[in-house]
Amino acid sequence: MIDLVRRHGVPAAQLAIHMNGRTVAVTAGGVTADAKFPVGSITKAFTASVAMLLVADGDLDVDDRIGTYLAELGTEADSLGGMVTVRQILSHTSGLPSSFGERLAAVASPRQYLRDCRELTLVQLPGVRFSYSNVGYVLIGRIVEEITGMSWWDAIQALLLKPLRVVPSFVVWPDSQHSADSFVSGHVVNEATGTALPVAQTIRVVEAPCGALALSATDLVAFGHAHLTGCGDPSVSAPLDAEAFREMRRPVSGAEPFGLADGWGLGLAVFRDVDADWVGHDGTADGTSCHLRIDPTRDRVIALTANANTGSSLWEELVDELRALDIPVGDYIAPELTSQIPAPGDLFGSYVNGEMEYAVDAGEGGEATLSVDGETYPELILHEDWAFSVRQPASGRRILGGRFLRDPSGGQVSGIQTGGRVAGRLTNSTCSS
């Protein structure tokens, strides 16, 4: 792994592998095996696991409307609380937007966040298709707090981490009484010069259930192993039950996370491989890239933590090396790009997901471009299956950008799915192909 770390300019990394009944961990960059890395969205898998423990105890039903637990969201049929279920949020099929964007800075409290949620516009009807949402997991965190009477921070430690003997760090705390936890700093790597610059974590307190955990690779392996076998130390807390987590691995119908994974369960992504399905989650915090994979059929768990934005490319090479060692790690393989087709005129225009705006325009040379909140990806090409590719601005490589969605009744372009998020059609432009 040391060669991979150097090749990708990653200052520090940890790799932990559990197989054949034992766990082996290696580190690079001078960190210890117990150093904590901000694991970003892998936190969502932990939040979902706590929710499923409450389901196992009979305190929560995944098919309940969320207004049952969060009265601020309403219980009327046309209210957010009356339309969306816990299952839909856990599987990212709720239709909720990805985030509040800059408006979140004005949120003073979780209660205010809930009140603001009542004014959100869904990007699609609940249960229609997959669209990754941080907002949904903030709501799951609030449901955990309402049921347990504890803060999310206390609940995740008491119900899940203590039985695993995992001592976490947190990127943010809800009050000033807690001093800042110790965790490894993230870095942004300039690929041209190889220089790695440290960056601060910017997650807000209210978003903690989405991405506030900092853990080691061995912590992630302990969590993954619990999903398969159930474990825990009765002297610390009640042991965990693997049955409580089984449903998390079952793909939800309609949850097609194009560009992220092959399927999605209740808090865990599904990655198909030739001989077995793996589950897990990826996490990107500020300047970190972390990955967790679980093989339910062979009791194998693999975790990587890396403190640079280039950790994702390190992971891709690591997967290839592990497969060469006969460990066929499940990972998302982007579909091959088919033949190019002309871009119809109704492709051009604006698409929105919450406060995130995507614009498809005609560039100076007449080629189509994609702009994501002001960052332009040139040379958008439409392919036969309505997937599209673009040029990556930094590297110039052609990459899969996402796919366009069409209204099944009339065939018109109704949205765009990129990075696992759906943005609905806002306007048409006068551009044509």
Side-chain angles (χ1 to χ4, degrees):
M1 186 179 74
I2 293 176
D3 287 343
L4 289 177
V5 167
R6 290 172 178 165
R7 188 180 309 154
H8 293 281
V10 175
Q14 302 165 323
L15 172 65
I17 300 177
H18 175 87
M19 58 188 299
N20 300 324
R22 59 192 293 261
T23 299
V24 176
V26 295
T27 65
V31 295
T32 60
D34 60 354
K36 310 297 183 181
F37 288 62
V39 297
S41 285
I42 295 179
T43 302
K44 293 183 178 70
F46 285 74
T47 298
S49 297
V50 172
M52 295 308 292
L53 290 174
L54 297 177
V55 170
D57 287 343
D59 296 320
L60 176 65
D61 189 320
V62 293
D63 292 314
D64 278 345
R65 308 290 171 176
I66 58 175
T68 304
Y69 308 97
L70 303 175
E72 296 93 333
L73 298 180
T75 56
E76 305 82 8
D78 60 348
S79 68
L80 182 61
M83 289 191 294
V84 175
T85 68
V86 174
R87 183 187 300 275
Q88 289 165 344
I89 290 181
L90 291 173
S91 61
H92 294 289
T93 58
S94 65
L96 287 164
S98 176
S99 66
F100 276 123
E102 292 302 317
R103 277 201 304 132
L104 189 60
V107 174
S109 68
R111 294 291 180 188
Q112 182 61 51
Y113 189 97
L114 292 179
R115 287 193 289 271
D116 287 350
C117 279
R118 296 196 65 160
E119 307 303 319
L120 287 176
T121 300
L122 296 179
V123 299
Q124 58 194 4
L125 291 175
V128 171
R129 65 168 63 90
F130 182 96
S131 186
Y132 194 88
S133 174
N134 289 325
V135 172
Y137 271 77
V138 173
L139 300 183
I140 294 296
R142 289 292 302 135
I143 288 173
V144 167
E145 292 181 331
E146 288 292 329
I147 292 175
T148 64
M150 295 185 281
S151 71
W152 172 82
W153 289 259
D154 289 339
I156 207 161
Q157 291 183 88
L159 301 181
L160 182 62
L161 299 180
K162 282 186 178 179
L164 299 179
R165 289 187 175 272
V166 169
V167 179
S169 289
F170 291 98
V171 174
V172 291
W173 281 95
D175 55 64
S176 58
Q177 295 178 3
H178 290 91
S179 58
D181 279 349
S182 174
F183 51 83
V184 176
S185 175
H187 293 76
V188 172
V189 176
N190 184 319
E191 296 189 41
T193 64
T195 304
L197 299 176
V199 293
Q201 299 299 310
T202 58
I203 186 172
R204 288 112 164 179
V205 170
V206 74
E207 297 175 299
C210 303
L213 277 171
L215 301 164
S216 68
T218 52
D219 292 337
L220 292 175
V221 162
F223 168 74
H225 185 60
H227 268 260
L228 305 181
T229 62
C231 60
D233 184 346
S235 68
V236 177
S237 184
L240 303 177
D241 179 2
E243 283 297 316
F245 302 135
R246 185 177 298 277
E247 192 172 0
M248 295 178 66
R249 304 196 295 268
R250 187 176 300 122
V252 171
S253 177
E256 186 181 353
F258 187 84
L260 289 183
D262 298 298
W264 216 278
L266 302 185
L268 291 174
V270 178
F271 302 93
R272 306 213 183 282
D273 192 71
V274 291
D275 62 348
D277 286 353
W278 291 62
V279 296
H281 213 292
D282 297 324
T284 302
D286 292 292
T288 70
S289 183
C290 302
H291 307 266
L292 171 65
R293 296 292 185 271
I294 305 166
D295 177 3
T297 61
R298 295 176 179 83
D299 188 21
R300 296 191 291 199
V301 186
I302 295 170
L304 173 75
T305 57
N307 71 334
N309 60 314
T310 51
S312 57
S313 53
L314 186 161
W315 168 253
E316 291 175 6
E317 284 200 49
L318 177 65
V319 166
D320 290 338
E321 291 195 2
L322 291 172
R323 287 174 171 171
L325 296 172
D326 200 28
I327 306 175
V329 183
D331 200 40
Y332 181 66
I333 300 175
E336 292 186 7
L337 296 171
T338 57
S339 300
Q340 179 179 351
I341 60 175
D346 67 348
L347 208 70
F348 296 89
S350 296
Y351 305 80
V352 294
N353 176 308
E355 294 184 1
M356 180 79 74
E357 183 172 347
Y358 305 81
V360 179
D361 297 308
E364 294 181 1
E367 79 281 0
T369 65
L370 171 67
S371 295
V372 182
D373 271 3
E375 182 177 15
T376 299
Y377 293 79
E379 298 181 39
L380 183 150
I381 291 177
L382 183 65
H383 300 271
E384 284 182 341
D385 53 5
W386 288 82
F388 66 89
S389 59
V390 292
R391 291 284 181 194
Q392 194 174 49
S395 66
R397 293 187 296 115
R398 178 159 292 281
I399 60 171
L400 176 70
R403 64 178 176 177
F404 288 94
L405 305 172
R406 292 182 294 170
D407 187 324
S409 59
Q412 297 91 350
V413 175
S414 60
I416 187 173
Q417 187 176 24
T418 180
R421 294 160 174 83
V422 168
R425 191 57 179 266
L426 182 62
T427 63
N428 294 331
S429 81
T430 57
C431 298
S432 61
S433 59

